[in-house]
Amino acid sequence: MAEMPTFFLSSPGDRPAYHALAEHLWGIGCDIDSDGNSSSPDATDWTELTIILRANTDKRIDIDSVSSTGPLVLSIRSDDAELAYRAALYLCDVAGGELTKP
């Protein structure tokens, strides 16, 4: 089984609302399932997020914090390398930080 393409975003600031990331990837009004630790739909301090496009469940992004101490580092991964890359670039553009791929 191949490893999921993963990017790391170190020291990001406020993240976009989770639905803004979905809309960036799949368009305004996209129908998604989501899970994570966002306290409200517009929260910007989330550190865990999974979003899945309902029309194509292969379109899935998983974002998690990789450390509980020190600066925040988010892992951004998907079975779809292009989708992971687009999500990572968007998060870096909005939240800042340093984007790397191991």
Side-chain angles (χ1 to χ4, degrees):
M1 178 179 217
E3 195 170 311
M4 288 177 104
T6 303
F7 296 87
F8 293 100
L9 183 59
S10 302
S11 301
D14 289 344
R15 272 73 68 204
Y18 70 85
H19 54 85
L21 174 58
E23 289 177 347
H24 172 77
L25 296 171
W26 300 306
I28 294 173
C30 59
D31 188 15
I32 62 166
D33 280 328
S34 65
D35 189 28
N37 67 350
S38 183
S39 59
S40 72
D42 293 319
T44 61
D45 60 348
W46 54 265
T47 58
E48 298 173 6
L49 175 63
T50 297
I51 52 176
I52 303 167
L53 185 63
R54 285 187 177 153
N56 182 348
T57 57
D58 289 341
K59 300 297 183 186
R60 173 186 175 134
I61 295 286
D62 291 291
I63 302 169
D64 294 290
S65 175
V66 295
S67 174
S68 60
T69 62
L72 177 61
V73 178
L74 298 175
S75 70
I76 304 151
R77 60 194 189 287
S78 174
D79 284 335
D80 182 330
E82 181 183 342
L83 187 61
Y85 181 65
R86 289 178 52 223
L89 280 180
Y90 178 74
L91 287 172
C92 188
D93 285 346
V94 173
E98 182 180 343
L99 186 61
T100 58
K101 184 175 186 333

